[in-house]
Amino acid sequence: MSTATSPINAESAIRERIDSWVAAALAKDLDTLMTHYAPDVVAFDAIGALQFKGLDAYREHWAKCFELCPGTMKFTLHEVQIQVGDDIAFSHALSHCGGTNDQGEEQACWMRGTTAYRRRAGEWLIVHEHFSAPFDMQSGKVLFDLEP
Amino acid sequence: MSTATSPINAESAIRERIDSWVAAALAKDLDTLMTHYAPDVVAFDAIGALQFKGLDAYREHWAKCFELCPGTMKFTLHEVQIQVGDDIAFSHALSHCGGTNDQGEEQACWMRGTTAYRRRAGEWLIVHEHFSAPFDMQSGKVLFDLEP
């Protein structure tokens, strides 16, 4: 097995991709953020629509998300688990997300994220991602107060 | 490449696992359903909690879900996409889920599911799954009326 394809190297590569993806999201750097995605990404985001297909649709959605969070964003991942194969990998994590609302108050909640990657021409790209918060069956409301 | 590990065979194997998983869920056959999961499964379900860790916790949750749907369940997958590697695979799909409420009325909505598998001792097992419905940022309510 060459070092280029060893599971340990692949896991390090995915970990780096996660770190740079989080950094780009926190910086609201849309161009850098979008370099992490494959052209044919299919994304299930937490808000607004069932799915976003392709880079253009998902970029537009991310731009709207940044507009919804005008202040400083908080976004930290916890309990990150990564599983890698030869050219396929996935990760999942709990995320603690927050920001400042229009009254200047800090708000935060816990959510969940799952990300799937493929290695194409040596580069790991996100081909699928899924973000959500769980809800209460009776009220149909999101459970923003849950803690891990 | 042996036929046992070819991507086509692996994709067929995953497709069969999905079909038998759906059949077990529709039949509310908890024992058969749980044979699809790895002992160390980490599940992000749509309702009730941020995560369920391990087979026992997830079995208990599935049992509660079946109790919440006393009538006939509806559960069909659409736009299923499967990606396979040597010993790792994932799938995602939209799911149309429904049942009969306590007034005898049929209710249904669209949700999203992502599932990750590992092949252990020749058997594909679910090591992670993520179900959700998107919500509206302003109201904090789930968007049950969305259609693909």
Side-chain angles (χ1 to χ4, degrees):
Chain A
M1 184 182 283
S2 75
T3 53
T5 58
S6 79
I8 292 169
N9 276 18
E11 186 170 330
S12 299
I14 295 295
R15 205 166 285 277
E16 279 171 24
R17 294 302 273 169
I18 293 172
D19 289 345
S20 67
W21 175 87
V22 169
L26 283 172
K28 297 178 189 171
D29 178 349
L30 196 56
D31 287 337
T32 302
L33 187 72
M34 297 318 292
T35 63
H36 294 75
Y37 295 102
D40 54 347
V41 62
V42 176
F44 299 162
D45 190 35
I47 58 169
L50 279 169
Q51 61 182 337
F52 300 91
K53 287 179 172 174
L55 215 50
D56 290 348
Y58 203 33
R59 183 188 174 95
E60 196 180 325
H61 179 64
W62 262 108
K64 279 188 196 160
C65 291
F66 287 151
E67 282 170 25
L68 285 170
C69 300
T72 306
M73 269 177 70
K74 284 188 178 181
F75 190 53
T76 52
L77 301 188
H78 299 258
E79 300 186 39
V80 179
Q81 284 193 30
I82 298 168
Q83 307 234 15
V84 293
D86 272 5
D87 289 309
I88 195 168
F90 66 88
S91 65
H92 57 81
L94 299 181
S95 53
H96 196 224
C97 315
T100 310
N101 70 9
D102 46 15
Q103 277 88 43
E105 297 160 345
E106 279 201 0
Q107 291 181 313
C109 71
W110 286 89
M111 301 185 74
R112 307 88 54 89
T114 302
T115 309
Y117 311 81
R118 291 222 64 144
R119 182 157 49 188
R120 290 173 179 167
E123 192 183 22
W124 288 99
L125 291 173
I126 298 171
V127 291
H128 173 63
E129 98 186 345
H130 189 160
F131 291 104
S132 75
F135 64 91
D136 173 63
M137 261 299 255
Q138 305 306 317
S139 65
K141 283 204 155 190
V142 173
L143 297 163
F144 288 119
D145 296 331
L146 295 174
E147 301 211 359
Chain B
M1 186 182 280
S2 76
T3 52
T5 58
S6 79
I8 292 168
N9 275 20
E11 185 170 331
S12 299
I14 296 294
R15 206 166 283 277
E16 279 172 25
R17 295 302 273 170
I18 293 171
D19 289 346
S20 66
W21 175 88
V22 169
L26 282 172
K28 297 179 190 171
D29 178 349
L30 197 55
D31 287 337
T32 302
L33 187 72
M34 297 318 291
T35 64
H36 294 75
Y37 295 102
D40 53 349
V41 62
V42 175
F44 299 163
D45 191 35
I47 58 169
L50 279 169
Q51 61 182 336
F52 299 91
K53 287 178 173 176
L55 214 51
D56 291 348
Y58 202 35
R59 183 188 174 96
E60 197 180 322
H61 179 66
W62 263 108
K64 278 187 197 160
C65 291
F66 287 151
E67 282 171 24
L68 285 170
C69 300
T72 305
M73 270 176 71
K74 283 189 179 181
F75 190 53
T76 52
L77 301 187
H78 300 259
E79 300 186 39
V80 179
Q81 285 194 30
I82 298 169
Q83 308 234 16
V84 293
D86 273 5
D87 288 311
I88 196 169
F90 67 87
S91 65
H92 57 82
L94 299 181
S95 53
H96 196 223
C97 315
T100 310
N101 69 9
D102 46 15
Q103 276 88 45
E105 297 160 344
E106 279 202 1
Q107 291 181 314
C109 71
W110 286 90
M111 300 185 72
R112 306 87 55 87
T114 302
T115 309
Y117 311 80
R118 291 222 64 143
R119 182 157 48 188
R120 290 172 178 167
E123 191 183 22
W124 288 98
L125 291 172
I126 298 170
V127 290
H128 173 64
E129 108 185 335
H130 190 160
F131 290 103
S132 75
F135 64 92
D136 172 63
M137 262 297 256
Q138 304 306 318
S139 66
K141 284 205 155 190
V142 172
L143 297 163
F144 288 119
D145 295 332
L146 295 174
E147 300 211 359

